[in-house]
Amino acid sequence: MKLVIDEDRCKGCNLCVLVCPYAIFQEGSELNSRGVVVPVLDRPERCTNCRLQHLYGRVLCGLCHMICPDQAISWIEEKPFEPHRVEVEF
Amino acid sequence: MIAPDWFREDRLPHIYCAGCGNGTVINCTLAAVEEMGWKRNETVFVSGIGCSSRAPGYILADSLHTTHGRALAFATGVKLARPDLNVVVFTGDGDLAAIGGNHFIHACRRNMDMTVICMNNQIYGMTGGQGSPTTPQGAFSTTTPYGSSEPAFDLAELAVAAGANYVARWTSYHVKELTKAITTGMQTPGFAFIEVRTQCPTNFGRHNKLRQIPDMIEYLRGHAMHVKKYDRLLEEGKPIPEGTFTVGELARRNRPAMGVRR
Amino acid sequence: MSRVEFMQGNAACAEGALAAGCRFFGGYPITPSTEIAETMARRLPKVGGVFISMEDELASIAAVIGAAWTGTRAMTATSGPGFSLMMENIGYAAMTETPCVIVNIQRGGPSTGQPTRAAQGDMLQCRFGSHGDYSTIALTPNSVQEMFDLTVKAFNLANRFRVPTLLMSDEIVGHMRERMAIPDSVDIIPPAPLAEGSLPFEAGDDGVPGFAPFGSGRSIHVTGLTHDERGYPDTTDPEAHDRLVRRLVTKVESARREIADYVVTNPDAETVFVTYGPPSRTVEQVMHTHPDDDIGHLRLRLVWPFPEFALQEFPNAKVFLMPELNMGQMVREVQRHVDQPVISIPKIGGELHTPAELVRILEAHR
């Protein structure tokens, strides 16, 4: 699961910034092509829903996408995690 | 987004200003509709005129966007002619309390089986911020430039007095509680009235030093007091801060209702 | 076969509505139309219909439109003051193409006026009363039998064209009691259904879109705002507004030959009475006592859309006389369609013209 903000719908009200208990949403600083400052996501993998929704089979917090007046926030399924080698340099 | 099946996605984004609470109320309503398991061909959304009343236009179901103040009268016709349809009415404070006040008290009196969600932003938003019957005394608007001199209506108390079976009030900040209240209202036979205090930073906030969206939310949060706490303070004779409004469930009863599915 | 009854006009109107399949009545008591509501209140529950006395006329017409959108045949009945209150929502019904019937038992106005006296003072209001451009259909009965027949016809026209249809009667016909026959059954025309794959406000050649009532699963958005064929508001595009409003007007106006309903007597006459509603009964009396091929009579049973071609049925006409129970309303419509002089014979106060009055004017103009 992954949190996404639909930039075509977001009007930059920052209500998500106000309600997120994990401070995942941060006020943005750059105007997008529609002239809206869309919030940015800070380490969205910390979101409870992203981590645990499948385990519990229901929405756990969801305040951001409930309060988003512009229906711009949703979770999308990610591709299954593929293990890959990480080269560690000493 | 909540309940994507219920949105006319081809019409989004909607016309509401940035930070408007109405979009949140649509989310909560549709979440409640999903929880009820209502089907598209058995649900009708009715509204009057105003910001709030644009809501049915974004919902994928039969919807009737009517004339100013008359939403409840139209909804009464729909519900009586087809009691098997679930009727949800979106309305605003100007629509419901000013021009539609008569229809409001009579729909409560008849106890028509429908769910009415009033997005009370305490201002006429669509026309640019004029004082409405719910504008608090002393608040500024374009038609109350020296502060409103009229006492404001308490819509939820009005509905209780007029006989609605279910009455609750929340704010557009209390999304979980609001969704639960709307669901309970939909489950209750008879007239369910849910007043939602919504933020209107563009027109209400601008004139009342609440221009920023967080300020407006803080204002709603700060002045909302659960009805149980309010009653306790009253009982103990303790002072209640000025501008406080109660939230929570104000009435749930079982008066005879009209238009209930046979 | 039919059943013969001695009945009041208002009761006959209610019986006509029931025969036409009306199953919803939302009303508010107002003299002289109240008997329609009373009859419906008594009869509707017995046939599985709904009667509701709303809190005012604004709510009555609103409830009727709401019920009509569920596919139920719905009507309301009122008189002048209530009719004025209904105006905004009649415009809404025209804009949203809602098939419904509004009965106006006219009384003396303006304002509260003469509640128990007859008038025909709302004839222009019923056509132009709501703001903006639209078109409606208005029928004018002159007898108890016609209260029945034209109510049935009003429902069928409302369904055929998806317009609010007005039965413009008055206190005289509404409160008159006379012999009438109730047929065993009447023709009922349902609205054309919305074809699979068509948009909700996409009209065919006749300008009338198919009707998909609420609950049929088509998820229709109905709005009084200027809307496109999908039903979605489009309030700034001049073309969208032109396309919609032009269609709303022309779908009715272009059908006026098809739906015209008038009676011609003595087409070769030189002096022609043009009437609608109860003044036609005085003219009939004059023609009965003065049998003369030189007196013609055009009686309109459907006044809006105005059938101007009906005036051509009198090729020898030298003068048109128009008795009306108002200060001269429909006479303007006649005047703008003929070259001959058109003499208005207005009468207000609540009583019909007497035959002697009409004879005096008749003699003066031939």
Side-chain angles (χ1 to χ4, degrees):
Chain A
M1 295 289 272
K2 190 169 89 173
L3 261 180
V4 286
I5 301 178
D6 184 344
E7 293 217 5
D8 291 336
R9 289 194 190 151
C10 178
K11 290 174 187 159
C13 68
N14 289 323
L15 281 177
C16 46
V17 178
L18 200 73
V19 298
C20 179
Y22 305 104
I24 287 168
F25 294 88
Q26 304 277 331
E27 279 191 39
S29 55
E30 279 178 36
L31 285 174
N32 73 0
S33 59
R34 293 170 62 236
V36 171
V37 182
V38 176
V40 290
L41 299 171
D42 174 23
R43 288 166 290 151
E45 61 277 10
R46 293 182 294 137
C47 168
T48 47
N49 283 309
C50 299
R51 287 187 287 120
L52 301 171
Q53 191 171 351
H54 279 310
L55 191 63
Y56 282 79
R58 63 184 171 90
V59 174
L60 291 160
C61 164
L63 278 179
C64 55
H65 99 309
M66 196 74 156
I67 205 163
C68 177
D70 301 306
Q71 292 79 35
I73 299 175
S74 45
W75 293 282
I76 56 164
E77 291 291 337
E78 276 180 299
K79 283 190 204 131
F81 179 73
E82 287 169 19
H84 49 272
R85 278 182 74 90
V86 179
E87 295 288 335
V88 183
E89 287 178 23
F90 294 99
Chain B
M1 80 194 277
I2 293 266
D5 296 347
W6 284 88
F7 276 99
R8 291 185 195 269
E9 290 209 43
D10 52 341
R11 290 210 65 211
L12 294 176
H14 47 55
I15 60 163
Y16 300 135
C17 310
C20 173
N22 290 356
T24 308
V25 180
I26 302 179
N27 286 344
C28 296
T29 309
L30 292 182
V33 168
E34 274 207 333
E35 198 167 325
M36 294 295 291
W38 287 352
K39 296 196 179 57
R40 207 184 302 293
N41 62 358
E42 55 178 37
T43 309
V44 178
F45 293 88
V46 185
S47 68
I49 293 291
C51 291
S52 59
S53 300
R54 289 298 191 103
Y58 302 107
I59 299 175
L60 189 58
D62 288 321
S63 46
L64 195 60
H65 177 219
T66 68
T67 47
H68 197 21
R70 317 295 166 214
L72 287 173
F74 281 90
T76 299
V78 172
K79 186 65 185 172
L80 283 177
R82 281 285 303 274
D84 54 323
L85 295 177
N86 304 306
V87 178
V88 180
V89 180
F90 287 108
T91 181
D93 51 320
D95 198 44
L96 187 82
I99 187 166
N102 197 23
H103 309 305
F104 178 41
I105 54 173
H106 283 278
C108 289
R109 170 182 68 81
R110 292 192 183 103
N111 218 354
M112 292 300 307
D113 185 27
M114 55 177 76
T115 308
V116 179
I117 295 151
C118 174
M119 305 175 188
N120 179 0
N121 55 9
Q122 307 188 316
I123 202 98
Y124 288 100
M126 188 67 97
T127 46
Q130 293 77 27
S132 87
T134 54
T135 303
Q137 209 159 5
F140 297 96
S141 70
T142 57
T143 52
T144 55
Y146 310 111
S148 172
S149 55
E150 300 172 15
F153 249 141
D154 184 327
L155 298 179
E157 291 295 347
L158 187 62
V160 174
N165 257 1
Y166 180 82
V167 181
R169 175 164 46 211
W170 287 101
T171 76
S172 51
Y173 173 76
H174 298 95
V175 283
K176 296 264 172 179
E177 295 88 341
L178 174 60
T179 307
K180 193 152 190 314
I182 297 175
T183 313
T184 315
M186 287 172 172
Q187 286 163 345
T188 313
F191 196 86
F193 179 69
I194 296 104
E195 178 188 345
V196 193
R197 289 287 177 92
T198 57
Q199 72 274 17
C200 176
T202 309
N203 280 321
F204 185 81
R206 182 159 55 118
H207 297 290
N208 292 285
K209 298 192 176 132
L210 299 163
R211 186 188 291 266
Q212 297 303 320
I213 299 159
D215 296 345
M216 202 79 239
I217 293 280
E218 198 47 51
Y219 167 83
L220 289 177
R221 249 172 79 177
H223 291 82
M225 182 185 283
H226 198 277
V227 62
K228 283 186 181 153
K229 182 179 178 189
Y230 183 88
D231 289 345
R232 196 178 69 233
L233 290 182
L234 268 189
E235 212 170 276
E236 293 169 358
K238 290 194 177 145
I240 289 162
E242 191 148 335
T244 299
F245 59 91
T246 53
V247 292
E249 190 176 288
L250 301 179
R252 195 199 301 197
R253 54 195 167 191
N254 203 6
R255 286 179 64 240
M258 274 183 85
V260 182
R261 191 192 304 224
R262 284 172 285 236
Chain C
M1 274 300 288
S2 59
R3 190 171 88 238
V4 174
E5 298 253 3
F6 184 68
M7 201 177 260
Q8 189 198 45
N10 281 342
C13 172
E15 292 298 334
L18 291 165
C22 173
R23 291 296 176 267
F24 186 93
F25 186 98
Y28 188 83
I30 183 166
T31 306
S33 78
T34 314
E35 293 84 1
I36 301 177
E38 288 172 344
T39 312
M40 291 303 254
R42 196 168 59 244
R43 298 272 277 110
L44 265 178
K46 293 187 177 166
V47 294
V50 177
F51 170 87
I52 183 159
S53 179
M54 294 300 288
E55 51 271 18
D56 55 27
E57 283 89 350
L58 301 161
S60 306
I61 179 74
V64 163
I65 295 169
W69 268 102
T70 67
T72 308
R73 296 192 164 208
M75 78 180 260
T76 183
T78 188
S79 186
F83 195 58
S84 293
L85 286 179
M86 289 183 182
M87 275 304 143
E88 186 194 8
N89 282 340
I90 289 176
Y92 178 82
M95 189 61 149
T96 56
E97 303 178 64
T98 309
C100 58
V101 172
I102 299 123
V103 179
N104 181 357
I105 308 295
Q106 298 170 82
R107 70 192 217 186
S111 188
T112 315
Q114 294 174 294
T116 58
R117 291 291 187 155
Q120 294 180 309
D122 310 345
M123 296 312 299
L124 295 182
Q125 188 189 18
C126 75
R127 172 66 183 81
F128 301 105
S130 199
H131 56 279
D133 289 303
Y134 64 101
S135 199
T136 52
I137 300 174
L139 302 162
T140 47
N142 83 341
S143 66
V144 173
Q145 182 68 54
E146 282 193 359
M147 281 295 269
F148 181 95
D149 296 342
L150 293 190
T151 303
V152 174
K153 183 169 178 152
F155 273 98
N156 286 337
L157 288 172
N159 280 329
R160 161 84 176 75
F161 293 97
R162 283 186 62 181
V163 282
T165 302
L166 304 140
L167 187 77
M168 299 300 289
S169 185
D170 54 86
E171 192 273 339
I172 292 173
V173 180
H175 281 165
M176 180 159 55
R177 282 170 203 271
E178 61 185 1
R179 182 183 189 277
M180 56 93 62
I182 298 181
D184 288 339
S185 68
V186 297
D187 286 337
I188 296 177
I189 302 169
L194 178 60
E196 209 55 53
S198 319
L199 295 170
F201 291 93
E202 188 180 4
D205 294 339
D206 60 353
V208 184
F211 187 60
F214 287 172
S216 58
R218 297 297 292 267
S219 296
I220 289 181
H221 182 54
V222 181
T223 176
L225 291 167
T226 294
H227 45 270
D228 58 18
E229 284 73 13
R230 295 172 298 172
Y232 292 178
D234 185 353
T235 55
T236 47
D237 180 11
E239 269 197 16
H241 187 78
D242 184 288
R243 201 164 62 239
L244 173 64
V245 175
R246 199 173 290 278
R247 180 170 67 73
L248 293 182
V249 173
T250 51
K251 73 173 176 182
V252 176
E253 297 297 327
S254 63
R256 64 193 191 285
R257 276 177 197 278
E258 180 197 334
I259 63 177
D261 188 352
Y262 54 84
V263 182
V264 173
T265 317
N266 291 346
D268 299 327
E270 291 187 352
T271 310
V272 179
F273 282 104
V274 182
T275 64
Y276 57 94
S280 60
R281 313 249 318 203
T282 316
V283 172
E284 280 164 13
Q285 177 67 24
V286 169
M287 293 176 76
H288 180 72
T289 50
H290 295 72
D292 182 347
D293 286 347
D294 209 26
I295 308 172
H297 186 195
L298 171 66
R299 176 162 87 82
L300 304 175
R301 284 161 30 115
L302 184 149
V303 288
W304 298 113
F306 188 76
E308 81 285 350
F309 44 84
L311 299 163
Q312 313 303 324
E313 306 261 3
F314 298 91
N316 305 329
K318 291 219 171 75
V319 61
F320 289 97
L321 303 176
M322 194 144 185
E324 293 181 89
L325 298 181
N326 52 43
M327 294 291 282
Q329 295 194 0
M330 293 306 294
V331 69
R332 295 158 195 263
E333 198 65 21
V334 178
Q335 274 164 345
R336 74 190 189 98
H337 286 115
V338 295
D339 298 328
Q340 298 93 326
V342 181
I343 311 298
S344 176
I345 312 175
K347 180 156 184 172
I348 53 173
E351 283 174 356
L352 271 179
H353 306 78
T354 61
E357 280 169 4
L358 290 191
V359 169
R360 201 159 56 239
I361 292 164
L362 179 68
E363 296 303 335
H365 283 95
R366 31 193 237 159

